[in-house]
Amino acid sequence: MDYNRLAELLFPDVTETPADMEAKYPSRQLPEGAKVTRFAPSPTGFVHFGGLFPTTVAERLAHQSGGMLYLRIEDTDAKREVPGAAEGLIRTLARYGIQFDEGAILNEQGVVADHGAYGPYKQSLRAPIYHVYAKQLVREGRAYPCFTTEQELEELQQVNKKEELKNTDWEAQAQSKRAEMLKNREFTMEDVEAHLAAGDPFVLRILSDGDPEKKLKVTDLVKGNMEIPENDEDFVLLKSDGIPTYHFAHAVDDHLMGTTHVIRGEEWLPSLAKHLQLFRYLGFKVPKYMHIAQIMRLDENGNKKKLSKRDMGANMDDYTRMGYSARVVCEYVMTLLNSNYEEWRMQNPDKPYTDFPFNIKKMSVSGCLFDFNKLNDVAKNVISRMSAEEVYAELTDWTKDYDPDFHALLAADPAYATSILAIGRGGKKPRKDFGLWSEVKDYMGFFYDAYFTLLDTIPDTFDKQDVKAVIEQFKASYDESDDMNTWFEKVKTIASSLGFAADMKAYKADPTAFKGSVADVSMFLRVAVTGKMNAPDLYTVMHILGKERTFARLDALLTTLA
Ligand code: GLU
C-alpha cells in the first residue's frame, strides 16, 4: 500500500507537518524540576468534589515546584456540551484556590478565552492540529480509515452486546472481535477512493502492533509500579466528524502543551496502554502519570460506595449553599490528600495550607473516604482560627445571599457584630462554636432582640424566689466598669448570701448543705440574658449587650417569676 498516497487522499488539505507543530509550540522554558500540570474537564455541569480533588493535586504540584497549571476544555463530545458550564466551572474552582496560569480562562467580560502560547485550549478548535498528526500516522502506516458508518457501527455494537450476553466464552468473544477488526484492515486504495468519491464518512483507527500476551512496565506516581497488557485494539483516533477521541487528543495536547504530569481519575487506567502506544507511535516523550482513586463514601449500611453525582457533597456549589467557607473545604481536601497533613496543621496552626509541603508519596492509593462529620470538625477548627474581621466578612458574604434578614442586622452595626464574633478568639484554645455560616444565627442570634427567645428555662427544682433574689441582687450590685474578677466575686457573694455554695469544692464535698452552687446562680443569669444554658462567657456577653439591654432581659425574666 502506498501510505503517502493514502494520507494525501484522506487529508488533502493538511499541508503542515509535525515538525511545523513542534516549531509552533516549542518546549517550555522552565526551571529544573518545575511541573506543568493541567485540569482537562469536559464541562457538562457542576464541579464534582471528585474533580476538585485531582485538580488540587495538580495545582499544588505545579505551584509548589515553580511550574504552572493550565486549563484545557475537552469539548470533543458536542452532544454533551452545556453552554456556560466552562465559565461556571472556572468560577467555582477559583473559590477553592485553583488559579490557572494559562489556558481557557475568563477574560474581563467573564467569558472563556485563550490565554497563553499553547492554544487553542478548547479541543473543538484544535482539529487542524490533530489532523497533522493523523496524516503523519497514516503516512507511516500506523493508522487507517474505516468507512463503517456510525450507524453501522452502532448496529454492530448492538448485535455484539446481544451476543456477549448469550456468549460467556470470553475467549471466543475476543477472537470474533479481533477477526472483525482485522477485516477492517483489509482494504485497497480503490475502495478508499470509491468511498471518498461517494462522500462516505470514515473514522481513523490506529493500526495496533500490541500483543496482550506481552506486558508493559509502567510507573504511576500514586499507584506505583505496574504491569499492564499491551493494547491490541485498533481504537478510533478521529471520529467521522474529524474530531479526535480522548485518547488521541490526550497524546497530542499533553505533548504540545508540555504537560509533565498527567493527573487524572483512575477510570483512565484501563486506557493507559492505548496512550503509551500512541506516545510511542508519535515519538512523544511520555509524561508522568498519576491516577487518582475515586472518592468513596459510606452508605447507610456502612459499605463503601463511590461518591456519585447525586450524593450530598458531590456538587461543589452545594458547599456554598450549605454555608461552608471555601477555606474549610480546601483544608478538608488537604487532610484527605496527604496523610501527614493534620500533623503538620497541629504544628502550624496559622499557616496557609499552601505552605504545607505536599508529597505525592503520602497520597492514598486506594481511595479516600468522604465524611461529613470529619468535614464539620475541620470546619470548626478552621473557623476558630480566623479573625473576627475575617469571619464577619465571610459570614456577611454568605448571609447576603442566603439569610437576608440576619444579614440586615449584621450589616447595620458591623462593630457590634464583630465584637460578638471576637468572643473566645485568639489564644491557644479558641472556641469552636460553629463551623458553617448557617450555624452562626443559632449561636449568636440572642445578641439581637429580634432573635432573642428563651430557648432554655430554669429548672423547676430551684425556688422561684431564689431566682428572683439572685437577679435583683445582681442588678443592684452591677457596675459595668467592674473587671471580670470583681464581677465574679459579686456573683459569688450573692450565691453565698442566698445559701448557694460560692466554692465548688465545698459544694462537691457536701451538696446537701446548699441550695445549689455558684454555677447554678450563673446559670439563672445566663438563661435570663442569653435564653440558653450554654452560651459564651457571660461577663463578656453582658458587656457586648450593654447594661440597658442586659437589664431589660433580667427584668423580663423577673416578670415571669412574679
Ligand atoms: N476530559 C477528561 C475527563 O474529564 C480528562 C481526563 C484527563 O485529565 O486527562 O475525564
Side-chain angles (χ1 to χ4, degrees):
M1 170 85 57
D2 180 349
Y3 292 120
N4 272 325
R5 172 115 189 278
L6 182 61
E8 289 310 322
L9 278 179
L10 297 175
F11 300 100
D13 301 332
V14 175
T15 52
E16 287 179 299
T17 64
D20 295 328
M21 294 298 108
E22 300 297 328
K24 212 162 162 179
Y25 303 106
S27 311
R28 295 174 184 273
Q29 297 305 311
L30 286 168
E32 178 79 20
K35 298 181 173 70
V36 177
T37 61
R38 83 297 192 271
F39 182 41
S42 307
T44 52
F46 59 78
V47 182
H48 190 288
F49 188 82
L52 176 67
F53 204 65
T55 312
T56 304
V57 178
E59 190 278 335
R60 286 292 73 225
L61 290 183
H63 293 149
Q64 198 171 275
S65 65
M68 47 93 55
L69 169 72
Y70 70 90
L71 176 66
R72 179 172 71 229
I73 307 272
E74 307 217 324
D75 58 345
T76 53
D77 192 349
K79 280 175 246 148
R80 293 175 58 213
E81 212 185 328
V82 178
E87 281 82 1
L89 175 142
I90 294 169
R91 285 199 190 94
T92 302
L93 287 173
R95 275 181 62 78
Y96 298 104
I98 310 291
Q99 292 291 349
F100 296 99
D101 307 297
E102 182 186 305
I105 42 192
L106 297 184
N107 63 12
E108 272 161 25
Q109 286 76 45
V111 180
V112 168
D114 273 356
H115 177 87
Y118 292 82
Y121 295 92
K122 239 181 166 190
Q123 287 182 331
S124 58
L125 303 176
R126 297 174 63 80
I129 301 174
Y130 305 120
H131 291 186
V132 168
Y133 288 95
K135 186 170 186 176
Q136 179 69 15
L137 288 174
V138 175
R139 227 183 250 133
E140 292 169 349
R142 300 277 205 186
Y144 64 94
C146 182
F147 283 91
T148 322
T149 63
E150 229 173 282
Q151 195 185 343
E152 276 170 338
L153 266 181
E154 239 167 63
E155 282 166 10
L156 205 68
Q157 262 169 9
Q158 291 305 333
V159 177
N160 278 344
K161 276 228 176 80
K162 278 191 199 139
E163 287 299 312
E164 266 173 37
L165 291 178
K166 278 191 282 175
N167 187 358
T168 46
D169 181 350
W170 305 116
E171 193 58 36
Q173 244 188 64
Q175 265 178 18
S176 87
K177 277 198 181 150
R178 179 130 197 101
E180 211 175 273
M181 192 180 83
L182 291 176
K183 229 174 28 218
N184 284 333
R185 292 181 179 182
E186 285 162 24
F187 58 87
T188 63
M189 200 67 84
E190 290 69 39
D191 293 335
V192 175
E193 276 168 323
H195 274 300
L196 290 176
D200 292 343
F202 67 89
V203 299
L204 191 75
R205 289 182 181 277
I206 194 167
L207 195 132
S208 175
D209 63 355
D211 174 357
E213 297 298 319
K214 290 199 194 133
K215 301 277 184 279
L216 287 167
K217 283 195 168 60
V218 284
T219 302
D220 180 285
L221 296 188
V222 183
K223 307 242 173 234
N225 294 333
M226 288 178 293
E227 290 205 350
I228 55 172
E230 288 183 6
N231 167 62
D232 68 337
E233 183 194 329
D234 285 0
F235 61 91
V236 173
L237 300 175
L238 289 180
K239 295 179 265 187
S240 56
D241 54 4
I243 295 292
T245 54
Y246 168 76
H247 311 305
F248 192 39
H250 155 51
V252 172
D253 291 349
D254 280 315
H255 166 69
L256 288 180
M257 295 180 180
T259 310
T260 62
H261 289 64
V262 169
I263 300 156
R264 62 185 181 186
E266 68 178 356
E267 66 275 18
W268 292 109
L269 208 47
S271 309
L272 185 56
K274 290 190 173 97
H275 303 155
L276 294 174
Q277 185 175 38
L278 258 176
F279 276 84
R280 176 162 56 83
Y281 277 18
L282 292 163
F284 296 161
K285 179 169 181 251
V286 179
K288 298 222 167 16
Y289 282 101
M290 292 176 64
H291 288 94
I292 313 270
Q294 306 266 21
I295 309 274
M296 310 298 278
R297 68 174 177 94
L298 289 182
D299 70 6
E300 315 66 52
N301 306 318
N303 298 320
K304 276 192 180 181
K305 281 248 166 71
K306 192 182 130 194
L307 182 73
S308 88
K309 266 188 173 179
R310 283 166 303 279
D311 287 328
M312 187 69 160
N315 182 347
M316 289 317 299
D317 295 330
D318 281 347
Y319 291 89
T320 316
R321 279 192 279 276
M322 287 187 274
Y324 286 101
S325 162
R327 286 203 214 181
V328 165
V329 178
C330 290
E331 182 81 3
Y332 179 55
V333 168
M334 293 305 290
T335 64
L336 289 178
L337 277 178
N338 259 194
S339 52
N340 56 331
Y341 183 76
E342 286 181 88
E343 199 185 314
W344 175 85
R345 173 53 82 208
M346 274 197 279
Q347 283 149 13
N348 303 280
D350 297 315
K351 287 196 177 157
Y353 75 91
T354 44
D355 281 7
F356 170 74
F358 180 82
N359 187 345
I360 299 173
K361 293 199 177 73
K362 300 275 189 214
M363 289 180 70
S364 157
V365 178
S366 58
C368 296
L369 198 61
F370 178 88
D371 175 8
F372 262 111
N373 292 329
K374 177 75 191 167
L375 170 66
N376 291 341
D377 245 27
V378 169
K380 285 194 171 165
N381 282 328
V382 170
I383 307 285
S384 76
R385 288 192 305 265
M386 285 165 69
S387 73
E389 288 72 21
E390 286 171 322
V391 171
Y392 179 79
E394 280 210 33
L395 171 67
T396 46
D397 218 28
W398 185 83
T399 52
K400 190 165 58 197
D401 293 330
Y402 297 99
D403 193 345
D405 292 341
F406 188 30
H407 184 75
L409 290 174
L410 293 171
D413 191 348
Y416 182 65
T418 309
S419 63
I420 299 168
L421 294 167
I423 299 174
R425 262 171 217 286
K428 279 228 156 67
K429 281 200 152 199
R431 288 183 67 94
K432 295 177 185 171
D433 296 292
F434 50 86
L436 281 82
W437 304 134
S438 50
E439 292 170 353
V440 178
K441 191 162 72 180
D442 275 353
Y443 161 70
M444 64 180 258
F446 69 85
F447 278 99
Y448 296 90
D449 289 338
Y451 294 130
F452 174 73
T453 101
L454 288 184
L455 292 172
D456 292 324
T457 44
I458 297 164
D460 288 340
T461 43
F462 294 101
D463 185 339
K464 278 191 180 165
Q465 292 317 310
D466 283 334
V467 177
K468 204 171 155 189
V470 164
I471 294 177
E472 277 168 351
Q473 290 190 26
F474 179 81
K475 278 182 66 189
S477 69
Y478 189 71
D479 180 345
E480 219 172 2
S481 60
D482 285 343
D483 64 15
M484 195 186 269
N485 257 338
T486 317
W487 179 90
F488 193 49
E489 283 309 318
K490 284 184 176 175
V491 176
K492 278 190 188 166
T493 310
I494 296 168
S496 7
S497 76
L498 293 167
F500 289 76
D503 173 23
M504 288 309 283
K505 260 200 210 130
Y507 178 66
K508 278 191 188 130
D510 184 10
T512 57
F514 304 96
K515 290 181 183 168
S517 74
V518 66
D520 297 315
V521 168
S522 301
M523 180 266 288
F524 302 161
L525 296 169
R526 182 174 301 110
V527 169
V529 172
T530 70
K532 301 197 279 192
M533 293 268 190
N534 290 314
D537 171 64
L538 195 54
Y539 170 84
T540 313
V541 167
M542 288 183 174
H543 276 80
I544 294 173
L545 282 171
K547 185 171 175 182
E548 206 178 305
R549 210 182 248 149
T550 302
F551 274 33
R553 292 187 183 181
L554 292 170
D555 288 340
L557 194 85
L558 280 179
T559 61
T560 69
L561 299 170

